[in-house]
Amino acid sequence: MRVLVTYGSKMGGTAGLADMLAAELVAQGIPTDVSDADSVGSLADYDAVVVGGALYATRWHRAARRFVKRRTAELRTRKVFMFSSGPLDDSAATTEIPPTRQVQRLMERVGAREHKTFGGWLPADAKGMAGSMAKEHSGDWRDPDLVKEWADHLGRALQESTAA
Ligand SMILES: Cc1cc2nc3c(=O)[nH]c(=O)nc-3n(C[C@H](O)[C@H](O)[C@H](O)COP(=O)(O)O)c2cc1C
């Protein structure tokens, strides 16, 4: 079994979550690759794909959306899991935040099995619209323990479905 973790990220926070997830899966003995959603090549080697998107105004970063839309047929024949990032507070660590409407639709489109929302990251020196938001909401709300917990859960789900 081989897993691809792919992501759409503007400022790097979601890319970091994808790296953390992949490292945890590898630590469980599951061969896993990580790639920006715009750079994914063939999916032939992968039994499962984890797609992550940064949330901007409740919508996923374009690269993640586009990946799911363009690769729908291939994704429908694989195990797909999705994650979003993320709230700039501790809400993702204290509650289970459901996918936004748009992400829910993407899940339905490819028959994704599960979704997880992780906290986000907004650097204090962000520019443009992100910069105005950073005046009040900057910080790193990505929780490595929560990522590990979900990765452990994913690893078990993948190994059980392979054994079945
Ligand atoms: C303009 C703007 C809009 C945002 N909208 C949302 C949102 O709707 N929901 C949410 O949970 N987080 C929202 N965020 C927080 C981002 O999702 C968070 O900063 C995330 O970690 C960014 O990911 P990236 O670094 O991979 O681009 C927003 C951030 C900015 C700057």
Side-chain angles (χ1 to χ4, degrees):
M1 179 187 23
R2 194 166 192 93
V3 178
L4 173 68
V5 181
T6 185
Y7 58 85
S9 174
K10 185 172 176 193
M11 296 181 288
T14 313
L17 286 168
D19 285 339
M20 284 188 232
L21 263 178
E24 294 293 347
L25 291 171
V26 167
Q28 293 174 50
I30 301 173
T32 304
D33 300 316
V34 191
S35 175
D36 182 303
D38 275 338
S39 312
V40 177
S42 169
L43 294 180
D45 289 344
Y46 299 109
D47 307 287
V49 181
V50 183
V51 192
L55 287 172
Y56 286 93
T58 78
R59 290 160 64 80
W60 257 10
H61 184 275
R62 187 158 172 247
R65 270 174 9 226
R66 197 162 44 192
F67 173 77
V68 173
K69 287 187 178 165
R70 290 193 178 157
R71 311 297 290 263
T72 296
E74 292 157 284
L75 290 172
R76 287 190 67 83
T77 59
R78 290 173 171 78
K79 294 160 206 155
V80 177
F81 300 83
M82 294 185 175
F83 71 92
S84 302
S85 79
L88 298 168
D89 55 26
D90 68 356
S91 56
T94 54
T95 53
E96 205 55 55
I97 301 178
T100 64
R101 224 162 66 133
Q102 184 210 48
V103 176
Q104 179 67 44
R105 279 204 214 100
L106 292 171
M107 289 182 71
E108 285 162 12
R109 183 178 176 109
V110 297
R113 298 171 178 219
E114 291 182 35
H115 172 274
K116 182 79 184 170
T117 301
F118 294 113
W121 174 60
L122 184 57
D125 60 356
K127 304 278 179 278
M129 210 202 294
S132 1
M133 200 156 157
K135 284 189 190 127
E136 288 189 22
H137 296 288
S138 67
D140 193 350
W141 298 95
R142 297 169 300 173
D143 180 346
D145 290 340
L146 201 62
V147 176
K148 182 177 183 331
E149 198 180 289
W150 198 57
D152 287 348
H153 167 74
L154 276 192
R156 280 193 301 273
L158 288 169
Q159 268 150 355
E160 277 163 19
S161 63
T162 304

